Amino acid sequence: MSGLLAGKRLLVTGVITDASIAFSVAKLAQENGAQVVLTGYGRLSLVERIAKRLPEPAPIIELDVTSPEHLAGLADKVREHVDGLDGLVHSIGFAPQSCLGGGFLDAAWEDVATALHVSTYSYKSLAVAALPMMAAGSSVVGLTFDATKAWPVYDWMGVAKAGLESASRYLAMHLGKQGIRSNLVAAGPLRTMAARSIPGFEQFEDAWAERAPLGWDLTDQEPAARACLALLSDWFPATTGEIVHVDGGYHAIGA
């Protein structure tokens, strides 16, 4: 076995289609020597179908990150396939339609609470659920969209991502004592299923195509996935609480 992640055991969430960043992470991880376990919720048959497109078969565990029962049983279910975890990929986000597309002032707390639970709090709860299987040198990696600015139509998901970025820093602080890292990859806009659920998302696409210094391919998930692999590997042993931008350099350019 050879590759950047040779011998690593990874839990990857968020594989819904082969256009997702999570799918690209799982594919590249397998190609680089890792064992991969996937999670899915709600549409397991779809996840199973997509998983067949990976280089190697990958077991799938049902996981609702808002369910205390699912989280409590996660370690036992993962141990049915691997004897521990070296890495965890959080690629989970959801907000009701009222929280997106310009409805920031009108969204009800119940909908906002759902967005924060699924998209923000789950980063901590998933890491804690996986913690019994992780040892020093392990890595937790999540996906964000630059939350230092207010973006048109992103609304409460932008707030959720800001919370995610803060949660990752706190997780880095608390898990650092055990030698476990927490980092995020801030990808530019990609034409994923999540993106298609955001009304007016084409506003992001136009801006990136025009201003990213390196250019930006809206259909190429591999650059973001490669950054995830690097953070999951042993090549960043002293990096935690960091956000790595994979956006063609857009974040560095003034308006």
Side-chain angles (χ1 to χ4, degrees), residues 227-253:
C228 291
L229 259 64
L231 292 169
L232 290 164
S233 76
D234 296 329
W235 282 93
F236 284 88
T239 298
T240 193
E242 186 58 86
I243 301 174
V244 177
H245 289 82
V246 182
D247 63 353
Y250 183 95
H251 73 282
I253 304 302

Side-chain angles (χ1 to χ4, degrees), residues 79-100:
R79 287 194 183 102
E80 294 176 7
H81 306 287
V82 293
D83 58 1
L85 288 175
D86 303 291
L88 171 63
V89 178
H90 179 281
S91 183
I92 299 171
F94 171 76
Q97 282 296 302
S98 65
C99 296
L100 300 162

